[in-house]
Amino acid sequence: MTQEEDEDATFTQPSTSQVQRGLEKLTPAQVDQKTAEVVQYILVKDQKKIPVRRADLVKHVVKDYRTIYPEIIKRATRIFEQVFGLKLVEIDPKNHMYILVNNLDTPVARASPVECPSNPKMGLLFVILSVIFMKGGVVRENLIWNILKKLRVDPGQKHEEFGDVRKTVTDEFVRQRYLEYVRILHTEPVEYEFRWGQRADMEVSKAQILVFMGQIHEQDPRSWSQQYREAHAISTPSSTPSSSQASSSNHR
């Protein structure tokens, strides 16, 4: 058990009455200030797309205000939705990890950085997610490397935009929860496969991927009937079931 996990294990979610008593000892300005600090901390972490741990939030930001933690998170969630068009989502209830995703229900929602790539890495990720989706949700890593090589992105060579391509894909995108990198059982030598990660399930529209593929291949998205049904059976990306639950036991 890591130090953070140990600290989180000692944190007990305060009851409603405890929160109420805690609020009575603080001024509204103090609660607002602490909420603003939590919002800023999560926004900074989100720039690297790394999930935020409750243990880190309590240790580094909330500190002595832990008795009103639920109230602070409730207010922070409201600020993210109303001000930034973002949704604070707990993606791992067991380890209490949060990410920010685009709140598609709000008119101010910004375009997903994956669907409208503003930097080359997001473009690379979008290609990989597209391949996984079009191949049925699971793809052996060799297929991904071969496709990237055709795009002149060789995982064995340092790339001027992505640096170490293999590390970017198997480490950075995995830590950001855009991808899952899962060991395939009973393979010798050991092989891995890629799946969509929890953040991709919540943030990326499969319908958008079909449009993207249609543009590349000059084809009507409906011609991929299975993928079209899957993409349009779900109204928002956030309702897509994550594959992580089924594969968590196989994680690297």
Side-chain angles (χ1 to χ4, degrees):
M1 181 180 284
T2 66
Q3 184 181 353
E4 285 84 359
E5 287 171 331
D6 189 45
E7 286 170 359
D8 197 56
T10 64
F11 176 76
T12 304
Q13 186 85 342
S15 66
T16 304
S17 59
Q18 286 174 319
V19 172
Q20 195 57 45
R21 286 198 298 272
L23 287 171
E24 288 169 1
K25 297 175 184 176
L26 299 166
T27 66
Q30 286 176 309
V31 181
D32 288 343
Q33 174 63 30
K34 186 55 67 175
T35 301
E37 290 173 12
V38 167
V39 168
Q40 184 178 11
Y41 179 84
I42 294 174
L43 283 172
V44 169
K45 289 289 184 183
D46 183 63
Q47 289 175 4
K48 293 184 178 179
K49 298 294 181 188
I50 304 298
V52 176
R53 299 172 53 85
R54 183 179 72 179
D56 294 332
L57 261 181
V58 173
K59 178 183 177 183
H60 300 301
V61 190
V62 177
K63 299 179 181 176
D64 297 337
Y65 289 68
R66 59 178 61 205
T67 54
I68 63 163
Y69 177 83
E71 179 65 21
I72 290 173
I73 286 296
K74 186 169 79 174
R75 294 187 184 197
T77 299
R78 195 160 59 235
I79 289 171
F80 283 127
E81 290 186 353
Q82 295 176 356
V83 178
F84 298 98
L86 297 170
K87 194 171 185 179
L88 185 65
V89 178
E90 188 176 42
I91 58 167
D92 188 343
K94 182 183 175 186
N95 296 308
H96 304 289
M97 300 176 80
Y98 301 96
I99 63 170
L100 289 173
V101 298
N102 297 292
N103 188 356
L104 302 179
D105 297 328
T106 64
V108 293
R110 61 186 181 179
S112 165
V114 181
E115 290 171 20
C116 304
S118 56
N119 65 65
K121 277 189 180 179
M122 288 296 102
L124 173 66
L125 175 62
F126 192 66
V127 168
I128 294 170
L129 290 174
S130 299
V131 172
I132 296 171
F133 173 57
M134 299 304 287
K135 294 290 183 181
V138 184
V139 171
R140 287 185 179 239
E141 69 172 321
N142 284 344
L143 178 62
I144 294 294
W145 304 141
N146 289 336
I147 287 173
L148 292 184
K149 281 179 186 176
K150 291 176 183 176
L151 298 173
R152 299 182 183 179
V153 179
D154 192 330
Q157 297 180 2
K158 196 170 182 68
H159 191 274
E160 62 178 277
E161 292 281 5
F162 313 125
D164 185 331
V165 176
R166 190 179 295 271
K167 185 177 180 182
T168 296
V169 175
T170 63
D171 181 48
E172 186 175 333
F173 290 161
V174 172
R175 281 188 296 113
Q176 293 171 344
R177 303 295 178 100
Y178 278 121
L179 293 175
E180 289 183 354
Y181 187 48
V182 185
R183 180 175 176 175
I184 304 172
L185 296 177
H186 314 303
T187 53
E188 188 62 47
V190 174
E191 292 182 50
Y192 289 85
E193 61 192 13
F194 287 107
R195 305 169 186 263
W196 278 37
Q198 291 160 306
R199 184 188 291 275
D201 278 332
M202 293 177 173
E203 219 177 73
V204 182
S205 160
K206 291 177 177 176
Q208 180 73 18
I209 282 185
L210 274 183
V211 171
F212 172 71
M213 297 302 290
Q215 290 169 344
I216 291 176
H217 296 285
E218 296 183 355
Q219 231 172 293
D220 186 329
R222 286 171 293 189
S223 62
W224 293 286
S225 56
Q226 181 183 336
Q227 287 86 348
Y228 188 84
R229 281 196 302 273
E230 182 180 345
H232 291 274
I234 314 138
S235 57
T236 63
S238 59
S239 61
T240 312
S242 172
S243 60
S244 61
Q245 295 169 349
S247 60
S248 58
S249 61
N250 296 336
H251 263 299
R252 187 181 181 185

